[in-house]
Each structure stands twice: as C-alpha cells, then as structure tokens.
Amino acid sequence: MNKLLILTIASEMFLLVPFLIIYLTTRKTKKSLPLIILLIIGGAPLLYLAIDDMNSNYMDANIGLGLAFMFTWIYSTIAFIVAFILIVKRKRNNNISKEQ
C-alpha cells in the first residue's frame, strides 16, 4: 500500500476519534450538525490534496500536502484537548451530583 495513503487514513482516524468522543459526551442531537461541519472542515483539505497528489505525481515537493497534514494534526490536537476538557467537566458534574 502507498505510504501516503496509510498516512492519510491514519491522520483522518486521528481526527475522527476526538469528534466521536465529543459527540458521545454531549449526546445532544442539536450539536451533531456543527460537529459534522467541523469534522469536514478539518478533514477535507487533507483528503483533497492527498487525492490530487496521487493523481498528479508531481516531481517536486508538494508543500500544500505537507501543510494540509500539519493543519489536520493541529486541528486534531485541539479537538482532543476540547474532548478531554468535556470529559473532565462531565466527570466533575457527575461526582458533584452523587455527593449531594
């Protein structure tokens, strides 16, 4: 399998996991549409540029593809931080309600 394809799939999975965590911790249907839109915003540039690079076979370095990977990884890291904050907040709320 192509190394670019493996990296693209791994990066997209790294992006998908925090959004699944956020979706499962909020469990509100009204918030699912903005989450889907944010997921598409995070993953679309990488998918587009990876497909373009596979089809075009550029001879030089594809700077845009590298920037798309970096954008996706930073976006995923921010999403993981938000998911972690939501999990901690939810656990604190559950612990406070059990103590009362």
Side-chain angles (χ1 to χ4, degrees), residues 44-83:
L46 177 60
L47 287 176
Y48 172 75
L49 288 170
I51 291 169
D52 181 50
D53 189 66
M54 286 184 205
N55 290 336
S56 299
N57 293 332
Y58 296 114
M59 294 301 291
D60 59 343
N62 191 347
I63 303 299
L65 183 60
L67 289 173
F69 271 107
M70 197 162 29
F71 170 76
T72 303
W73 295 336
I74 291 171
Y75 199 83
S76 299
T77 304
I78 292 170
F80 266 113
I81 291 169
V82 170

